[in-house]
Amino acid sequence: MPIIVTLDVMLARRKLRAKDLAAAIDISETNLSLLRSGKVKGVRFETLEKLCLALDCKPGDLLDFEV
Amino acid sequence: MTSATHDLQAKSRSLQSLFGWVFGFGTFLLFSELAYRPLKAVVMAGEPEVAVAWARFAGMTADALPSLALLAALWSARSMFKAMATGDVLSPRGSAALGRVGDWLIVSAILGLVLGPLDDKFDALGAAYFSALVVLAALGLAIRLLGRIHALAAEIAADNSQII
């Protein structure tokens, strides 16, 4: 799939651990790990909103597109 | 797990038990009413009568095929409720079992038509028997279609669970 999840990059930039982010946005570490590895079929707007709020970024900072 | 799923799980568990009992009762009834005497005849028959006894038993088995298909439908229904009782209401296993219930009902209706007592004479009883078989086949087809819808719903649910 040409959509790439760049959550890892944002986590590194914000110097946040995945465990802390999962707790902050109230999703399981397993789900966050699946999202980071791109092994999901989609992201809900609700989750995206929580991620953007927690990481102080825009959806475009979390997703990339490569052909 | 939502309360609706919890409720479905509890009801599925009771229906699994009910269908298990009905299957057991049906099997016992079929054996005691149809199979017991011919089987006893096979066991008790002397050398010259064994072939006749076996032939009678085979005939009885053929006559009982529609009932056996109905028992298989009951068992499939039990399997479906067993799958649902685990809490996984929309699972491929449940869909397959639901489809099989329909399949067995159709098989039973076809076998009933081919092997049943319908011959040249088509009296009131024959008409009632034929109508019952048509309803059984239609019900089987409808349940089969529901099984496919269930499978589609299970597929959508599996997809949905992969959306974070």
Side-chain angles (χ1 to χ4, degrees):
Chain A
M1 196 165 65
I3 299 286
I4 298 161
V5 181
T6 54
L7 182 59
D8 275 336
V9 179
M10 279 313 291
L11 276 171
R13 274 191 202 160
R14 299 287 183 257
K15 292 185 176 67
L16 255 175
R17 285 189 305 170
K19 190 180 169 184
D20 298 330
L21 179 65
I25 64 171
D26 197 26
I27 68 168
S28 67
E29 282 180 59
T30 317
N31 278 348
L32 190 68
S33 168
L34 286 170
L35 182 60
R36 281 169 66 201
S37 56
K39 287 176 187 166
V40 289
K41 287 200 172 174
V43 189
R44 289 195 178 84
F45 283 147
E46 189 191 345
T47 313
L48 202 56
E49 188 184 323
K50 283 180 188 172
L51 283 168
C52 288
L53 281 170
L55 295 167
D56 188 25
C57 64
K58 291 186 175 178
D61 298 324
L62 300 172
L63 301 168
D64 202 358
F65 179 79
E66 250 180 40
V67 183
Chain B
M1 195 183 290
T2 62
S3 65
T5 314
H6 215 81
D7 192 36
L8 275 173
Q9 189 181 358
K11 279 179 182 154
S12 298
R13 209 172 292 129
S14 2
L15 281 170
Q16 178 199 343
S17 168
L18 177 73
F19 274 79
W21 277 105
V22 173
F23 174 81
F25 182 68
T27 309
F28 173 73
L29 209 66
L30 196 68
F31 178 76
S32 63
E33 293 296 314
L34 292 173
Y36 177 67
R37 274 187 205 162
L39 264 178
K40 193 180 169 188
V42 168
V43 173
M44 305 294 267
E47 193 63 45
E49 295 134 15
V50 170
V52 180
W54 271 115
R56 197 170 294 153
F57 180 67
M60 183 283 307
T61 309
D63 287 344
L65 281 176
S67 308
L68 287 171
L70 281 180
L71 283 176
L74 277 176
W75 187 255
S76 298
R78 185 194 168 275
S79 308
M80 180 191 73
F81 288 120
K82 190 181 176 187
M84 286 181 171
T86 59
D88 201 2
V89 177
L90 289 172
S91 67
R93 217 176 101 211
S95 312
L98 182 59
R100 274 200 304 275
V101 174
D103 289 344
W104 281 118
L105 290 182
I106 295 167
V107 167
S108 175
I110 292 169
L111 287 173
L113 204 63
V114 175
L115 305 166
L118 279 179
D119 41 29
D120 299 339
K121 199 173 69 178
F122 203 73
D123 53 8
L125 197 64
Y129 180 77
F130 182 72
S131 313
L133 289 182
V134 169
V135 169
L136 195 66
L139 203 65
L141 278 171
I143 292 176
R144 203 166 182 272
L145 182 67
L146 275 176
R148 284 172 65 185
I149 294 169
H150 193 276
L152 189 67
E155 217 172 280
I156 293 169
D159 261 6
N160 202 35
S161 70
Q162 286 189 47
I163 297 174
I164 306 289

